[in-house]
Amino acid sequence: MIYLTCFAVSGIFIFWAEKGKGNQRIACLVIGIMIPAVLAGMRSSYVGTDVLLYARQVFASAIGSSSLSWMGRWNSIYGVEYGYLLLNYIISLFTENIAWQFFAVELFILIFIYKGFSYIKRNVSDRLSIAGMFMIYYLLFYNESLNLMRQSMAVAVTIYGFRYVHQRKLLKYLLIIALAMQFHITSLLAVIIYPIYVMVFARRKYSLKYFLAVVSIIGTPLIGRAAEMIIYTGVFGDKFFKYFNNGINMAYSFNQLIIRIPFIILIWYMASVKRSNRPYYNFMIIVLLLDLVFAELRGIDVTLYRLSLYFSIFKCAIYPEIARAFCRKYIRFVKAVIWGSMLALWFYQIVYMNNGQTYPYMLNIYDDPVIPYVL
């Protein structure tokens, strides 16, 4: 399968980049990042639901307009953010081939993801492998990025901005959030990561973790009503109103619980037995509990679970740590279970359920060219 093959080859080159030095390191890193970016660029417009929903139309407006006024119309009528519109405009100055736009979007995402992961490895947990974090990203989020292009760009910017959370530089983090909002307005939600991190590390008390655990289990069925109240304030724009036309579904999404709860329990156990870096583990537990809570928005509308992505991206940094909580003779077994679970999840969500319509992969050689038009 082309996806898994590219994931594996990219992971190998990024691993070699970690071990290499000088020009060898740079060359391996460039190849490792270019492989999935080229894969995204060569895909058909029928790979990814949102491509036909807005991506082709936005690019058509970019190549068909002689001024920047089209961006204002797309923003005011459809709520498409200016950062994404500007990227389309820049690409349209050089080519009318939308494949370059697909490539540029994915390259943007992967560069910010790499910068975020490399900072976490250097300054938070040096035992992590950047290649390992990328492999988790590929299995859990890469196919999402072929569909949710704008939001994936916003998520990538926010994980890059985690450095300013770690350094407790609030103003710089807010500037990063402002940048992320230029690609998807929902990245405003990531602001709450900063106070959570400060509370966990400053007070070194973990009652917040247990409080959120109770809230996430008992209060999850009420998340729909809370989301409705927040969205109707207008802070996320008009585009989310349509998700509430049919009322609120207050039921649990048991699939989300089954997928997430075992990992949260394992991380909780790890935090209880590993005294070193415990505040970091507790922070990750809280973030993943928030991921669970916001994933329950799928009960309202399948697209609203996307809000959980700003928290679930941290799985790439915490899942590799889980095996360390167990004695040495079980580490390989635990690692095999974790990787096997993520691979099975990829097959279930991408191949069987075809979430986001990114499977099967199709090349763009039979696609019709984008026809310029003015909105």
Side-chain angles (χ1 to χ4, degrees):
M1 298 176 66
I2 189 169
Y3 283 122
L4 297 182
T5 301
C6 287
F7 295 167
V9 176
S10 172
I12 290 171
F13 274 99
I14 293 174
F15 176 78
W16 287 344
E18 285 188 84
K19 303 300 180 182
K21 296 181 179 179
N23 292 333
Q24 179 189 13
R25 174 184 174 276
I26 295 174
C28 288
L29 179 59
V30 169
I31 295 173
I33 289 180
M34 289 293 288
I35 288 172
V38 171
L39 182 67
M42 295 178 63
R43 77 185 189 272
S44 166
S45 294
Y46 294 94
V47 176
T49 307
D50 285 3
V51 174
L52 292 179
L53 186 63
Y54 68 81
R56 283 180 65 91
Q57 293 90 324
V58 169
F59 192 68
S61 293
I63 62 180
S65 300
S66 57
S67 67
L68 298 178
S69 60
W70 68 275
M71 291 197 291
R73 291 191 290 271
W74 268 99
N75 179 263
S76 61
I77 298 174
Y78 298 106
V80 179
E81 293 79 7
Y82 282 107
Y84 178 78
L85 295 171
L86 180 61
L87 177 65
N88 276 264
Y89 173 72
I90 293 173
I91 299 300
S92 72
L93 295 176
F94 301 97
T95 179
E96 294 186 1
N97 187 345
I98 196 172
W100 287 101
Q101 190 263 4
F102 292 161
F103 169 79
V105 167
E106 196 63 39
L107 185 63
F108 178 99
I109 293 169
L110 292 171
I111 289 174
F112 275 89
I113 289 290
Y114 172 78
K115 297 296 288 184
F117 287 172
S118 60
Y119 180 87
I120 291 174
K121 174 180 171 59
R122 291 195 312 269
N123 299 281
V124 180
S125 181
D126 59 4
R127 297 171 300 182
L128 289 169
S129 164
I130 297 176
M133 288 189 282
F134 259 98
M135 288 303 296
I136 295 174
Y137 173 80
Y138 290 150
L139 290 174
L140 297 184
F141 302 105
Y142 177 80
N143 288 81
E144 294 269 27
S145 73
L146 302 184
N147 177 37
L148 314 178
M149 293 182 291
R150 290 154 50 215
Q151 190 156 18
S152 295
M153 296 172 79
V155 170
V157 172
T158 58
I159 195 66
Y160 167 83
F162 179 71
R163 65 188 59 214
Y164 300 121
V165 176
H166 181 254
Q167 298 168 10
R168 302 187 192 182
K169 296 180 178 179
L170 177 58
L171 180 58
K172 289 186 176 181
Y173 183 62
L174 291 178
L175 290 175
I176 288 294
I177 294 299
L179 174 63
M181 290 174 65
Q182 301 311 304
F183 298 100
H184 209 279
I185 192 68
T186 57
S187 56
L188 177 63
L189 184 65
V191 168
I192 68 175
I193 292 174
Y194 188 92
I196 291 173
Y197 186 90
V198 170
M199 283 189 291
V200 170
F201 276 81
R203 300 182 64 182
R204 298 296 179 96
K205 294 181 180 179
Y206 310 122
S207 57
L208 180 62
K209 175 182 66 174
Y210 300 102
F211 172 75
L212 283 177
V214 174
V215 170
S216 63
I217 300 301
I218 298 177
T220 293
L222 302 178
I223 188 66
R225 185 63 61 188
E228 181 187 29
M229 294 173 61
I230 294 172
I231 289 174
Y232 270 96
T233 65
V235 68
F236 291 134
D238 296 336
K239 59 182 144 183
F240 289 106
F241 287 156
K242 67 179 183 292
Y243 299 136
F244 297 93
N245 288 340
N246 297 321
I248 298 298
N249 183 348
M250 305 295 284
Y252 278 104
S253 175
F254 284 101
N255 285 343
Q256 302 305 315
L257 290 172
I258 291 170
I259 290 170
R260 288 165 168 79
I261 287 296
F263 286 101
I264 293 176
I265 293 174
L266 286 172
I267 297 167
W268 206 309
Y269 172 72
M270 176 181 65
S272 67
V273 299
K274 293 288 184 180
R275 295 186 180 278
S276 61
N277 217 13
R278 182 179 289 180
Y280 171 68
Y281 295 145
N282 280 279
F283 167 73
M284 288 299 182
I285 291 172
I286 293 172
V287 168
L288 293 184
L289 286 172
L290 289 172
D291 164 53
L292 171 61
V293 171
F294 282 96
E296 290 297 328
L297 290 172
R298 185 183 290 269
I300 302 172
D301 186 274
V302 69
T303 57
L304 278 179
Y305 89 96
R306 300 172 181 181
L307 297 176
S308 68
L309 294 176
Y310 299 105
F311 309 107
S312 59
I313 188 65
F314 285 95
K315 294 174 183 177
C316 300
I318 193 62
Y319 280 5
E321 296 270 16
I322 292 177
R324 301 182 187 278
F326 297 83
C327 60
R328 188 176 299 274
K329 66 179 181 178
Y330 294 121
I331 287 180
R332 289 186 178 179
F333 173 75
V334 174
K335 286 183 177 180
V337 170
I338 292 172
W339 285 109
S341 299
M342 287 187 292
L343 189 60
L345 183 61
W346 184 87
F347 273 101
Y348 174 73
Q349 292 186 330
I350 304 303
V351 179
Y352 179 71
M353 296 297 295
N354 198 15
N355 290 348
Q357 297 182 355
T358 61
Y359 184 87
Y361 182 85
M362 294 179 287
L363 291 171
N364 59 13
I365 54 177
Y366 300 111
D367 284 7
D368 295 328
V370 176
I371 300 175
Y373 83 101
V374 179
L375 179 66

